[in-house]
Every structure is written in C-alpha cells, then in structure tokens.
Amino acid sequence: MRRGCCKIMKLFCDSPFFFYNFSIMGRGGFVAKETVLQMQHIMKIYSNGVVANEDVSLELYKGEIHALLGENGAGKSTLMKVLFGIESPDQGKIILNGKETTIKSPQDAISKGIGMVHQHFMLLPSLTVAENIILGVEPRKGGVFIDMKRAVDAAREIADKYNFDIDVTARVEEIPVGIKQKVEILKALYRGADILILDEPTAVLTPQETEELFVQLEKLRDNGHTVIFISHKLDEIKRICDRATIMRNGKSMGTYSVDEISTSDMSKLMVGREVVLTFEKNEPKTGDVMLQVEHLLAYNAQGVQKINDLSFELRGGEILGIAGVEGNGQSELIDVITGLSRKYSGDVILKGSNIRQFSIKDIREKKLGHIPEDRMVEGCAAHLNIRENIFANQYTDSRFSGRVMLKMKEIQKRSDELIREYLIKCKSQNQEVGMLSGGNIQKVIVAREFSTGPDVIIANQPTRGIDVGAAEFIRRRLLEFRDAGCAVLLVSADLNEIFSLSDRLAVMYKGRFSGLFTDVSSVTEDELGQYMLGLKNDYENGGVTHE
C-alpha cells in the first residue's frame, strides 16, 4: 500500500500541472507550498550590450516573504522590471498561477495581481490618503463625477481589512514617512495585488516604523499574499523573510532558506568575497574645531523654516553622526554648510572663516568634500564620462591645468589610478557615468571628493541604495580619513551605519537636536527611534548632552 501511494505521489509531482512544493516542517511530515509564480531562464540584454539578466530563474510560493539580494548592477532591478512589465525579456518565460503569461506593461501586471511599491514614493502630496489610494480607479456617480464618499469608504474598508491604522482623510503631505509607506502598500492592495514587490521599503523608516511595517507584512503573508522584499539590510532579511534569492553579475547564485544561511554567507554570495559588516574603530584623537554652526535658522526653497536655532561644533579626528526621519532639516543643514543655499541666518564657520560671503568654489578651496544625498541629481553629470566627473572640481589644480590647456596625460593617468584605488567597475575612464551601477557611481563621487585631500567631509547618505561591498569600502574610507585627522559630518538613515561609524551622535527633530550622545555604545535603536519620532526631546529639557 505504501509503495502504491509513493507511485501516485511521484506521478502527481512529475506532472506539469502540479504546482506545489513539499517541505518538511518539524516532526510532522510534509506541508504543501503552492507555487504562484515562476520566472524561468530569463535573459535580458540592453541595447548597449550589457547583459542584465543571464538565465535567471525565480520561484515564489503563496504566503511567503521572499528576499531578492544582490549588489547594484547584479540584475535584480531588471528582473523586477521584467516582472512588472517595464521591460520585455529577450528570452525565458513567466508562469503565473500555473499558466504561461506575457506581461506587457505595469497596467497589465496590476491587472494580473502584481503590484510594486517603489523606493521613492509615487504619492501626490496635495491629495488625501483616500484620493491617492483610489487614483486612476475612482468610483463614479453616473459614470462621470467622482463619488468621494464611496472613495473614502473604500479606502477605510481596505485599511481596516489589513489592520492599517490610517486616517484616510489626511493629506499625504501632512503624514509621517512610515504612514506614506503603508499608503503605497494599500494602493497596490486596492488594485488587487496578490504579489507585492517592495523596493528598499525601510530605507527612510525609524526602528519603530520598520517594526510596524514588518507586523503588517507578516499579516499579509499569513493572509496568503506573496511579498518580494528587495533590501541591502541583511539583518532585516533575517528578521522578516522566509527565503532569499541572491544575484551576482546578472546571474542567480541560488535560493536559500533564510533560517539556514548566515548574513556573512549572504554577503559572500552577493559580492564573491568576505565582507566586513562591523568595524573596529580606533579611539578618536580629536583636534581643532573645523566647523562651527551658531544659532542657525534655515529655510527650504518654499520659504518654510526647517532649521530652528541650531548650534554645534565638529572637530578634526571625529565623526559626528546625525540621525533623524527625513524632512527634519538635515538636507537644509547640509545645503547651508556646502554653500548650496543662502536662505539662512546665523553663522557657519569653516576652519576659522565665516562662509556667508563665500562662493561654493571658495568653500571647496577650504578643503571641504561633499558626498551629496542624491547621486544622480547633485552628485554627478550622468551624460559625462568617469574622467570628467572625477575631475569636475580639480580643473584649476596646477597639477592638471597649464596656463592655457589642461594636462590631459596627467588627468588620464590620475583617472586610471583612482579607478583602481576606488575599485570602480567600468570598461574605461571614457565610459559614461550614467551607464554604471549605483554603487560604482557612488564610488566615482567618493573618488572625486576624497582625492582632493579634504579636511572636512560632509557625507549625506553616503551608502544609500548601494550594495554591501560598495558600502563597506566607503565606510572604511570614512574611518581612514577620520583617523588621519579629518572632521566628518555623517547624515544617514541607516542606523547600523550611524552606530558603527559615529564618535558622537545627534538626532534631528523639527530642525533641532532632540538628543546628543557622546557615548554612542550606550544608545539602543529603540531609544534612538523615540528621539527620531519626538517622543523624547532633550532640547525641551534644556539641551541635555548624554555622556
């Protein structure tokens, strides 16, 4: 009898119509896992000859959170573009719920139950939560006018269904970042998404907001939804994901049970070598004050005050980390210090000189290096080549510029040296920067800023959206400059980065330091999150500094 049952099971499992996997769970035998999606042997070659996906296969189960890992340029974004209908594969097939299908556009993907939440929110700030959720699929009166009562009721109904505590009548511009993330998810669920792609969903969230999001994702999983979780944060993948598919150089390195693979092994598969995830720092040897900010009030482009009477100083040989939910004045602070904004009062003193009348060139000549927040908008000229980007701030240097002509041989030689030193993966120094992966674009920017020998480094989100290998390289360089006596101001949404690099740590909330800590090791993530959310605020208690 037992042998007969085995034959029947084999017959079913070998059938092309059988879309279940069986996995052993504890002592109790087998539990069925329904396969909802298969991407088989996907090949995608772009017109410039770059092979983005080479024979990549991905299988998703119903009711799982599946991590997709890889360095920038590994091919994971292209694979998701193929799944969401943004790109067409040159080879391979997609099987959805047991049937081969073609996904022609994002609208087609949505109609087939596939939703995507992008890293940069696609919400309209001036509209309410409800209006954003139903946008494009609005209920109408008589087929003409939008029925706003039904829209609000529908938004409330889906928020309640998935236990999302959201005021659907609030305007998006007035709600916290963590709630915006939930609104994006509800938008996809409202349109019937059974498979949900989340691209770096925790990049701008506090620890508390991240934990709230994870609770919601677990509920979605338990209700039978499938979530693709794209992230570079390996500790989060260990916390929330069931399985992980790891990619490198356009190929799949395999799919693994998250419980059975370590973060170091994940890193090694992604990068092809051992990656240092934590750093041992030397004790800081602080020197002279390199940067002073005194009673700063600063405004954004719309004239709204974003910095409120902020004062601090930064010494050589230390890293001052600034954490905080985005939009609390970090960007405006950096813009003032680097000369990008004149909308301020108060004083910024760089190496003993007030910068109020300084041009950006004057500030640069004071040996200030700046890694900007948005590498594509402020950090590089994507249509120019690597050499031109690296030397954008050095054309007046006498080593590379004569009285009339540039010293092209010296520039080319130095470009090749920096490409090797900063491990930039490229065809040559003549390659357009926009054709590089995000991590390599960031290395070009870092090479430009660090190669001038700065005394002060302003690093704004220096490793955002880049892989663990590139992030490790940049973090190690920041520590090397700090050890050489450089003053580093680090603004980052990555709390692991803040904790591992900072000698002192400040939290920005509504344009002020709500907390300032000189012993970073004594601060927990939960405590830091409370300062980020304004639940704790030392400014209101006389500006306490925690030793």
Side-chain angles (χ1 to χ4, degrees), residues 70-71 232-234 246-248 262-280 423 425 443 463 466-476:
E71 294 187 277
H232 292 108
K233 299 179 180 179
L234 302 185
I246 301 174
M247 297 187 66
R248 185 167 85 226
S262 67
T263 54
S264 60
D265 285 339
M266 287 184 194
S267 300
K268 194 187 299 182
L269 285 164
M270 289 166 60
V271 180
R273 60 176 175 82
E274 292 282 356
V275 176
V276 177
L277 300 175
T278 58
F279 297 94
E280 289 188 10
L423 307 176
K425 294 180 182 177
K443 286 180 182 179
T463 64
I466 66 175
D467 54 82
V468 290
E472 176 207 10
F473 179 87
I474 291 170
R475 289 166 184 165
R476 192 180 295 281

Side-chain angles (χ1 to χ4, degrees), residues 220-276:
L220 290 176
R221 175 181 62 193
D222 294 344
N223 287 330
H225 290 276
T226 299
V227 178
I228 302 174
F229 188 90
I230 304 171
S231 178
H232 292 108
K233 299 179 180 179
L234 302 185
D235 56 333
E236 291 184 356
I237 285 165
K238 291 289 285 184
R239 157 71 177 82
I240 191 67
C241 297
D242 302 297
R243 295 188 302 146
T245 295
I246 301 174
M247 297 187 66
R248 185 167 85 226
N249 296 330
K251 300 177 182 178
S252 171
M253 306 306 293
T255 298
Y256 303 84
S257 170
V258 169
D259 288 339
E260 297 172 0
I261 185 171
S262 67
T263 54
S264 60
D265 285 339
M266 287 184 194
S267 300
K268 194 187 299 182
L269 285 164
M270 289 166 60
V271 180
R273 60 176 175 82
E274 292 282 356
V275 176
V276 177

Side-chain angles (χ1 to χ4, degrees), residues 414-427:
R414 183 59 177 151
S415 294
D416 283 335
E417 289 174 354
L418 291 173
I419 287 168
R420 288 192 296 270
E421 182 181 347
Y422 284 84
L423 307 176
I424 300 167
K425 294 180 182 177
C426 61
K427 294 177 181 177

Side-chain angles (χ1 to χ4, degrees), residues 287-303:
D288 296 334
V289 173
M290 307 293 280
L291 177 69
Q292 292 169 273
V293 173
E294 298 179 351
H295 302 293
L296 183 67
L297 288 85
Y299 305 83
N300 66 12
Q302 290 73 42

Side-chain angles (χ1 to χ4, degrees), residues 188-423:
L189 294 173
Y190 183 74
R191 288 156 177 75
D194 294 315
I195 297 171
L196 196 59
I197 305 166
L198 301 182
D199 187 4
E200 299 283 352
T202 66
V204 295
L205 303 186
T206 66
Q208 287 84 352
E209 290 170 330
T210 296
E211 190 57 37
E212 285 180 21
L213 175 64
F214 286 174
V215 169
Q216 304 298 338
L217 294 183
E218 287 168 338
K219 288 178 181 176
L220 290 176
R221 175 181 62 193
D222 294 344
N223 287 330
H225 290 276
T226 299
V227 178
I228 302 174
F229 188 90
I230 304 171
S231 178
H232 292 108
K233 299 179 180 179
L234 302 185
D235 56 333
E236 291 184 356
I237 285 165
K238 291 289 285 184
R239 157 71 177 82
I240 191 67
C241 297
D242 302 297
R243 295 188 302 146
T245 295
I246 301 174
M247 297 187 66
R248 185 167 85 226
N249 296 330
K251 300 177 182 178
S252 171
M253 306 306 293
T255 298
Y256 303 84
S257 170
V258 169
D259 288 339
E260 297 172 0
I261 185 171
S262 67
T263 54
S264 60
D265 285 339
M266 287 184 194
S267 300
K268 194 187 299 182
L269 285 164
M270 289 166 60
V271 180
R273 60 176 175 82
E274 292 282 356
V275 176
V276 177
L277 300 175
T278 58
F279 297 94
E280 289 188 10
K281 296 189 300 182
N282 300 321
E283 284 296 315
K285 297 179 181 178
T286 55
D288 296 334
V289 173
M290 307 293 280
L291 177 69
Q292 292 169 273
V293 173
E294 298 179 351
H295 302 293
L296 183 67
L297 288 85
Y299 305 83
N300 66 12
Q302 290 73 42
V304 177
Q305 182 176 311
K306 301 296 288 186
I307 303 289
N308 186 2
D309 194 25
L310 181 66
S311 298
F312 68 92
E313 61 182 33
L314 177 66
R315 292 180 176 272
E318 72 165 340
I319 297 177
L320 172 60
I322 296 181
V325 176
E326 288 193 20
N328 278 279
Q330 301 95 313
S331 295
E332 287 75 17
L333 173 62
I334 299 303
D335 285 351
V336 169
I337 293 171
T338 57
L340 294 173
S341 173
R342 301 287 183 185
K343 297 177 180 292
Y344 74 93
S345 63
D347 295 299
V348 176
I349 300 167
L350 177 62
K351 295 172 63 177
S353 300
N354 196 311
I355 69 167
R356 179 169 297 280
Q357 303 302 322
F358 280 17
S359 66
I360 293 176
K361 184 173 181 290
D362 294 332
I363 292 172
R364 291 296 193 144
E365 288 180 348
K366 287 291 241 181
K367 290 198 169 183
L368 180 139
H370 176 208
I371 303 172
E373 179 178 14
D374 191 323
R375 56 179 165 264
M376 299 311 296
V377 174
E378 300 168 329
C380 73
H383 63 287
L384 299 182
N385 64 35
I386 295 170
R387 180 184 65 252
E388 291 164 334
N389 273 276
I390 285 178
F391 278 88
N393 61 345
Q394 300 178 60
Y395 282 121
T396 58
D397 190 319
S398 60
R399 292 175 298 167
F400 309 113
S401 178
R403 300 178 101 186
V404 178
M405 304 288 287
L406 293 172
K407 300 176 182 178
M408 287 308 300
K409 285 187 178 180
E410 292 299 320
I411 289 174
Q412 290 166 354
K413 179 184 175 183
R414 183 59 177 151
S415 294
D416 283 335
E417 289 174 354
L418 291 173
I419 287 168
R420 288 192 296 270
E421 182 181 347
Y422 284 84
L423 307 176

